[in-house]
Structure formats: C-alpha cells, structure tokens
Amino acid sequence: MTVRPLCAALLAAFAVPSFVAAQAQHAHVHGQAFVDVAVDGGQVEIQLRATAQDLVGFERKPANPEEEARVSAARKAVLDHARLWRFSVAARCVAEGPVLEVPGAGDAHDHDHDHEGHDDHVAHSDWTVRYRFRCSAPEALRAIESGMFAVFPSLQSATVQVIDATGAREETLTASANRLVLVR
Ligand SMILES: [Zn+2]
C-alpha cells in the first residue's frame, strides 16, 4: 500500500493552521456548504461548514423564544450524523461524537460576500461541524450519501474537497446528486 503514507501526510495537513486558515477564507455564500472529506483506511473525517442563514434561517442573535428554538433545532439537526451522512452499509461505519462550532455573537464577522438580497444585516456567521467515523470493513466503503439537502432545504449545493486513496479532488454535491463516490 504505497498510497498510505501520502494519505497520512494529507490527513496531517488538516491539523496545521495554514490549512485551517485556507478553509476560513472560503466565501460566505448563502445556499452553499463547504465540506471536507478525508478517507484514510477505516477512518473517515468530515467537516461541514454552512451559513447560519441556511442552517437556522437567520444570522443574528435569536430575538425571542421562537428563534431560540430554531437555533436549538438547527444544532440538533447538524449533530444528527446518521441523517446527514450515510455510508455503504457493508463498510460498517460507526460515528464518534460530532463536534459543533458555532460562533458566538461577538464572533460574527462582517466581510465581503458574494450573495445579494440581504443587506439588512452586516454580520454573517458560519457554523462548522466535524464528524469522525470508523469503518470496520473499509474495503466495502464505496460512497457517502449526504442528507444535508433534505435536512436543510435552503442549501443548494456543496463544494466538497475529498482526500482519498487517489489524492485530493473537488466535487460538487446537490440535492439531486448527493452521493460522493469514493475511489479505493
Ligand atoms: Zn450571510
């Protein structure tokens, strides 16, 4: 398995600050999620980043109990890994606890963005969730299907950076093409 050391090196890249910084520079685009998928043997790591606009429906602090309930529901939904990520059954993948990073109100950043139609607020916020799965039969892992478009209907597409046995590549997922085929 000559590809293993390469994979390990690429996975290690996830941990270095420059990679994190590169991720942070992704545009804030309503309707679009950014996903990183790294498959290394039986370990699958997924990072999902999406705007609060798509996940919650607004990007400011909740102003009343109804909005607080929407934030809670969104938190629950993004942590529901079984609905968001489905693996080839034969690969027997199990999830380790997902981690959600929601910026606090003070972290909401205003910056240039590519979308239009909501100049009513200046602060945008993104949610980031990391998932980790271990597959006991990784040779059977052929594809990962995402339920994110069903769970969060305002998401139109996801730009996916995949690192698997063939190296790194970019794919686009949509509601009608929500299956990421892996190369083993
Ligand atoms: Zn926004």
Side-chain angles (χ1 to χ4, degrees):
M1 286 289 285
T2 52
V3 295
R4 288 300 295 262
L6 174 64
C7 260
L10 288 166
L11 278 172
F14 270 84
V16 306
S18 61
F19 185 88
V20 174
Q23 288 301 297
Q25 285 162 14
H26 274 314
H28 174 97
V29 184
H30 293 181
Q32 186 176 4
F34 294 91
V35 180
D36 295 310
V37 176
V39 181
D40 184 26
Q43 181 169 299
V44 180
E45 293 194 34
I46 300 175
Q47 178 172 299
L48 167 67
R49 195 169 67 73
T51 71
Q53 181 70 37
D54 290 314
L55 302 181
V56 183
F58 53 85
E59 297 190 332
R60 55 195 154 67
K61 266 184 104 159
N64 53 51
E66 187 263 337
E67 290 189 353
E68 278 164 22
R70 284 173 71 179
V71 172
S72 303
R75 281 176 187 267
K76 217 174 145 183
V78 290
L79 294 174
D80 188 354
H81 58 82
R83 280 192 77 195
L84 291 178
W85 310 109
R86 291 184 291 268
F87 300 86
S88 310
V89 176
R92 298 199 302 270
C93 301
V94 291
E96 296 176 0
V99 177
L100 170 63
E101 293 168 17
V102 179
D107 300 332
H109 44 286
D110 60 326
H111 53 170
D112 293 335
H113 50 93
D114 310 30
H115 54 279
E116 299 170 353
H118 70 292
D119 293 337
D120 52 323
H121 67 268
V122 290
H124 291 273
S125 77
D126 296 315
W127 286 22
T128 301
V129 199
R130 294 177 219 282
Y131 311 82
R132 179 175 286 171
F133 303 86
R134 289 196 183 280
C135 307
S136 52
E139 66 282 357
L141 182 58
R142 303 281 177 228
I144 302 172
E145 202 175 275
S146 180
M148 70 179 132
F149 302 104
V151 176
F152 302 108
S154 93
L155 281 179
Q156 303 297 307
S157 69
T159 300
V160 185
Q161 303 286 343
V162 191
I163 298 175
D164 62 15
T166 58
R169 66 183 188 279
E170 185 175 295
E171 307 249 353
T172 301
L173 296 183
T174 64
S176 56
N178 64 344
R179 205 173 129 88
L180 184 68
V181 175
L182 298 170
V183 184
R184 307 297 297 177

